[in-house]
PDB file of all heavy atoms in Angstrom:
ATOM      1  N   ILE A 279      42.374 -89.455 -27.762  1.00 87.00           N
ATOM      2  CA  ILE A 279      41.631 -90.595 -27.108  1.00 87.00           C
ATOM      3  C   ILE A 279      40.407 -89.959 -26.310  1.00 87.00           C
ATOM      4  O   ILE A 279      39.322 -90.720 -26.455  1.00 87.00           O
ATOM      5  CB  ILE A 279      42.660 -91.231 -26.157  1.00 87.00           C
ATOM      6  CG1 ILE A 279      43.715 -91.954 -26.909  1.00 87.00           C
ATOM      7  CG2 ILE A 279      41.836 -92.222 -25.216  1.00 87.00           C
ATOM      8  CD1 ILE A 279      44.765 -92.783 -26.187  1.00 87.00           C
ATOM      9  N   LEU A 280      40.631 -88.847 -25.552  1.00 86.00           N
ATOM     10  CA  LEU A 280      39.473 -88.406 -24.799  1.00 86.00           C
ATOM     11  C   LEU A 280      38.448 -88.032 -25.689  1.00 86.00           C
ATOM     12  O   LEU A 280      37.266 -88.320 -25.357  1.00 86.00           O
ATOM     13  CB  LEU A 280      39.964 -87.219 -23.920  1.00 86.00           C
ATOM     14  CG  LEU A 280      40.897 -87.699 -22.835  1.00 86.00           C
ATOM     15  CD1 LEU A 280      41.356 -86.338 -22.067  1.00 86.00           C
ATOM     16  CD2 LEU A 280      40.301 -88.709 -21.814  1.00 86.00           C
ATOM     17  N   THR A 283      36.502 -90.935 -27.143  1.00 86.00           N
ATOM     18  CA  THR A 283      35.821 -91.652 -26.046  1.00 86.00           C
ATOM     19  C   THR A 283      34.527 -90.799 -25.862  1.00 86.00           C
ATOM     20  O   THR A 283      33.444 -91.317 -25.742  1.00 86.00           O
ATOM     21  CB  THR A 283      36.531 -91.851 -24.818  1.00 86.00           C
ATOM     22  OG1 THR A 283      37.817 -92.401 -25.179  1.00 86.00           O
ATOM     23  CG2 THR A 283      35.816 -92.693 -23.879  1.00 86.00           C
ATOM     24  N   ARG A 286      31.976 -91.168 -28.557  1.00 78.00           N
ATOM     25  CA  ARG A 286      31.400 -92.484 -28.477  1.00 78.00           C
ATOM     26  C   ARG A 286      30.344 -92.625 -27.229  1.00 78.00           C
ATOM     27  O   ARG A 286      29.338 -93.265 -27.288  1.00 78.00           O
ATOM     28  CB  ARG A 286      32.417 -93.577 -28.265  1.00 78.00           C
ATOM     29  CG  ARG A 286      32.924 -94.104 -29.568  1.00 78.00           C
ATOM     30  CD  ARG A 286      31.704 -94.390 -30.532  1.00 78.00           C
ATOM     31  NE  ARG A 286      32.214 -95.164 -31.641  1.00 78.00           N
ATOM     32  CZ  ARG A 286      31.315 -95.972 -32.160  1.00 78.00           C
ATOM     33  NH1 ARG A 286      30.115 -96.208 -31.783  1.00 78.00           N
ATOM     34  NH2 ARG A 286      31.724 -96.702 -33.250  1.00 78.00           N
TER      35      ARG A 286
ATOM     36  N   TRP B 157      44.615-102.765 -21.158  1.00 97.00           N
ATOM     37  CA  TRP B 157      43.278-102.759 -20.484  1.00 97.00           C
ATOM     38  C   TRP B 157      42.544-101.482 -20.971  1.00 97.00           C
ATOM     39  O   TRP B 157      41.271-101.603 -21.111  1.00 97.00           O
ATOM     40  CB  TRP B 157      43.577-102.734 -18.907  1.00 97.00           C
ATOM     41  CG  TRP B 157      42.318-102.761 -18.211  1.00 97.00           C
ATOM     42  CD1 TRP B 157      41.430-103.706 -17.959  1.00 97.00           C
ATOM     43  CD2 TRP B 157      41.770-101.470 -17.492  1.00 97.00           C
ATOM     44  NE1 TRP B 157      40.441-103.242 -17.172  1.00 97.00           N
ATOM     45  CE2 TRP B 157      40.684-101.994 -16.889  1.00 97.00           C
ATOM     46  CE3 TRP B 157      42.277-100.274 -17.404  1.00 97.00           C
ATOM     47  CZ2 TRP B 157      39.880-101.089 -16.104  1.00 97.00           C
ATOM     48  CZ3 TRP B 157      41.557 -99.338 -16.531  1.00 97.00           C
ATOM     49  CH2 TRP B 157      40.361 -99.764 -15.918  1.00 97.00           C
ATOM     50  N   ILE B 158      43.233-100.325 -21.115  1.00 96.00           N
ATOM     51  CA  ILE B 158      42.512 -99.106 -21.489  1.00 96.00           C
ATOM     52  C   ILE B 158      41.711 -99.269 -22.761  1.00 96.00           C
ATOM     53  O   ILE B 158      40.436 -99.088 -22.669  1.00 96.00           O
ATOM     54  CB  ILE B 158      43.459 -97.917 -21.571  1.00 96.00           C
ATOM     55  CG1 ILE B 158      44.242 -97.797 -20.225  1.00 96.00           C
ATOM     56  CG2 ILE B 158      42.820 -96.747 -22.034  1.00 96.00           C
ATOM     57  CD1 ILE B 158      45.432 -96.807 -20.374  1.00 96.00           C
ATOM     58  N   PRO B 159      42.435 -99.659 -23.816  1.00 95.00           N
ATOM     59  CA  PRO B 159      41.529 -99.772 -25.145  1.00 95.00           C
ATOM     60  C   PRO B 159      40.350-100.847 -24.986  1.00 95.00           C
ATOM     61  O   PRO B 159      39.295-100.658 -25.597  1.00 95.00           O
ATOM     62  CB  PRO B 159      42.467-100.048 -26.212  1.00 95.00           C
ATOM     63  CG  PRO B 159      43.751-100.510 -25.474  1.00 95.00           C
ATOM     64  CD  PRO B 159      43.741 -99.933 -24.204  1.00 95.00           C
ATOM     65  N   ALA B 160      40.744-101.932 -24.241  1.00 95.00           N
ATOM     66  CA  ALA B 160      39.755-102.926 -24.095  1.00 95.00           C
ATOM     67  C   ALA B 160      38.479-102.495 -23.337  1.00 95.00           C
ATOM     68  O   ALA B 160      37.342-102.687 -23.789  1.00 95.00           O
ATOM     69  CB  ALA B 160      40.336-104.180 -23.215  1.00 95.00           C
ATOM     70  N   VAL B 161      38.688-101.723 -22.240  1.00 94.00           N
ATOM     71  CA  VAL B 161      37.581-101.173 -21.551  1.00 94.00           C
ATOM     72  C   VAL B 161      36.795-100.117 -22.313  1.00 94.00           C
ATOM     73  O   VAL B 161      35.540-100.181 -22.340  1.00 94.00           O
ATOM     74  CB  VAL B 161      38.099-100.693 -20.208  1.00 94.00           C
ATOM     75  CG1 VAL B 161      36.928 -99.787 -19.626  1.00 94.00           C
ATOM     76  CG2 VAL B 161      38.423-101.699 -19.339  1.00 94.00           C
ATOM     77  N   LEU B 162      37.596 -99.243 -23.027  1.00 94.00           N
ATOM     78  CA  LEU B 162      36.840 -98.348 -23.860  1.00 94.00           C
ATOM     79  C   LEU B 162      36.042 -98.970 -24.852  1.00 94.00           C
ATOM     80  O   LEU B 162      34.959 -98.516 -25.273  1.00 94.00           O
ATOM     81  CB  LEU B 162      37.858 -97.388 -24.385  1.00 94.00           C
ATOM     82  CG  LEU B 162      38.614 -96.404 -23.509  1.00 94.00           C
ATOM     83  CD1 LEU B 162      39.590 -95.595 -24.391  1.00 94.00           C
ATOM     84  CD2 LEU B 162      37.689 -95.647 -22.739  1.00 94.00           C
ATOM     85  N   LYS B 163      36.582-100.102 -25.434  1.00 92.00           N
ATOM     86  CA  LYS B 163      35.873-100.842 -26.544  1.00 92.00           C
ATOM     87  C   LYS B 163      34.647-101.461 -26.084  1.00 92.00           C
ATOM     88  O   LYS B 163      33.520-101.287 -26.644  1.00 92.00           O
ATOM     89  CB  LYS B 163      36.786-101.870 -27.162  1.00 92.00           C
ATOM     90  CG  LYS B 163      36.096-102.606 -28.306  1.00 92.00           C
ATOM     91  CD  LYS B 163      36.868-103.668 -28.966  1.00 92.00           C
ATOM     92  CE  LYS B 163      36.180-104.496 -29.871  1.00 92.00           C
ATOM     93  NZ  LYS B 163      36.002-103.911 -31.184  1.00 92.00           N
ATOM     94  N   VAL B 164      34.727-102.224 -24.861  1.00 90.00           N
ATOM     95  CA  VAL B 164      33.520-102.874 -24.544  1.00 90.00           C
ATOM     96  C   VAL B 164      32.479-101.981 -23.876  1.00 90.00           C
ATOM     97  O   VAL B 164      31.305-102.338 -23.827  1.00 90.00           O
ATOM     98  CB  VAL B 164      33.843-104.050 -23.559  1.00 90.00           C
ATOM     99  CG1 VAL B 164      34.754-105.085 -24.200  1.00 90.00           C
ATOM    100  CG2 VAL B 164      34.387-103.657 -22.321  1.00 90.00           C
ATOM    101  N   THR B 165      32.804-100.932 -23.270  1.00 90.00           N
ATOM    102  CA  THR B 165      31.869-100.026 -22.502  1.00 90.00           C
ATOM    103  C   THR B 165      31.225 -98.942 -23.609  1.00 90.00           C
ATOM    104  O   THR B 165      30.079 -98.939 -23.519  1.00 90.00           O
ATOM    105  CB  THR B 165      32.588 -99.223 -21.570  1.00 90.00           C
ATOM    106  OG1 THR B 165      33.517 -99.975 -20.817  1.00 90.00           O
ATOM    107  CG2 THR B 165      31.620 -98.671 -20.534  1.00 90.00           C
ATOM    108  N   TRP B 166      31.922 -98.515 -24.499  1.00 89.00           N
ATOM    109  CA  TRP B 166      31.471 -97.410 -25.307  1.00 89.00           C
ATOM    110  C   TRP B 166      31.598 -97.725 -26.802  1.00 89.00           C
ATOM    111  O   TRP B 166      31.265 -96.942 -27.625  1.00 89.00           O
ATOM    112  CB  TRP B 166      31.970 -96.019 -24.981  1.00 89.00           C
ATOM    113  CG  TRP B 166      31.577 -95.557 -23.579  1.00 89.00           C
ATOM    114  CD1 TRP B 166      30.348 -95.274 -23.205  1.00 89.00           C
ATOM    115  CD2 TRP B 166      32.466 -95.289 -22.579  1.00 89.00           C
ATOM    116  NE1 TRP B 166      30.337 -94.803 -21.885  1.00 89.00           N
ATOM    117  CE2 TRP B 166      31.614 -94.853 -21.461  1.00 89.00           C
ATOM    118  CE3 TRP B 166      33.770 -95.345 -22.415  1.00 89.00           C
ATOM    119  CZ2 TRP B 166      32.159 -94.516 -20.311  1.00 89.00           C
ATOM    120  CZ3 TRP B 166      34.318 -94.997 -21.177  1.00 89.00           C
ATOM    121  CH2 TRP B 166      33.510 -94.495 -20.166  1.00 89.00           C
ATOM    122  N   GLY B 167      32.236 -98.788 -27.120  1.00 86.00           N
ATOM    123  CA  GLY B 167      32.392 -99.083 -28.491  1.00 86.00           C
ATOM    124  C   GLY B 167      33.441 -98.319 -29.209  1.00 86.00           C
ATOM    125  O   GLY B 167      33.376 -98.044 -30.300  1.00 86.00           O
ATOM    126  N   VAL B 168      34.433 -97.666 -28.487  1.00 88.00           N
ATOM    127  CA  VAL B 168      35.496 -96.955 -29.083  1.00 88.00           C
ATOM    128  C   VAL B 168      36.381 -97.824 -29.895  1.00 88.00           C
ATOM    129  O   VAL B 168      36.784 -98.845 -29.315  1.00 88.00           O
ATOM    130  CB  VAL B 168      36.243 -96.166 -27.954  1.00 88.00           C
ATOM    131  CG1 VAL B 168      37.201 -95.162 -28.599  1.00 88.00           C
ATOM    132  CG2 VAL B 168      35.238 -95.385 -27.084  1.00 88.00           C
ATOM    133  N   ASP B 169      36.642 -97.384 -31.039  1.00 85.00           N
ATOM    134  CA  ASP B 169      37.545 -98.250 -31.982  1.00 85.00           C
ATOM    135  C   ASP B 169      38.831 -98.495 -31.342  1.00 85.00           C
ATOM    136  O   ASP B 169      39.580 -97.429 -31.166  1.00 85.00           O
ATOM    137  CB  ASP B 169      37.585 -97.480 -33.344  1.00 85.00           C
ATOM    138  CG  ASP B 169      38.394 -98.309 -34.317  1.00 85.00           C
ATOM    139  OD1 ASP B 169      38.311 -99.538 -34.252  1.00 85.00           O
ATOM    140  OD2 ASP B 169      39.125 -97.667 -35.141  1.00 85.00           O
ATOM    141  N   ILE B 173      42.844 -96.192 -30.730  1.00 92.00           N
ATOM    142  CA  ILE B 173      43.220 -96.008 -29.353  1.00 92.00           C
ATOM    143  C   ILE B 173      44.583 -96.729 -29.155  1.00 92.00           C
ATOM    144  O   ILE B 173      45.493 -95.981 -28.557  1.00 92.00           O
ATOM    145  CB  ILE B 173      42.226 -96.580 -28.366  1.00 92.00           C
ATOM    146  CG1 ILE B 173      40.799 -95.943 -28.655  1.00 92.00           C
ATOM    147  CG2 ILE B 173      42.718 -96.222 -26.966  1.00 92.00           C
ATOM    148  CD1 ILE B 173      40.780 -94.431 -28.231  1.00 92.00           C
ATOM    149  N   LEU B 177      47.927 -94.803 -28.101  1.00 95.00           N
ATOM    150  CA  LEU B 177      48.660 -95.166 -27.020  1.00 95.00           C
ATOM    151  C   LEU B 177      50.108 -95.562 -27.204  1.00 95.00           C
ATOM    152  O   LEU B 177      50.972 -95.336 -26.336  1.00 95.00           O
ATOM    153  CB  LEU B 177      47.877 -96.416 -26.282  1.00 95.00           C
ATOM    154  CG  LEU B 177      46.663 -96.046 -25.483  1.00 95.00           C
ATOM    155  CD1 LEU B 177      45.968 -97.218 -24.998  1.00 95.00           C
ATOM    156  CD2 LEU B 177      47.026 -95.081 -24.329  1.00 95.00           C
TER     157      LEU B 177
END
Side-chain angles (χ1 to χ4, degrees):
Chain A
I279 290 180
L280 293 179
T283 311
R286 271 313 194 149
Chain B
W157 177 78
I158 299 170
V161 163
L162 293 183
K163 183 183 169 76
V164 299
T165 320
W166 293 297
V168 187
D169 184 26
I173 302 294
L177 281 174

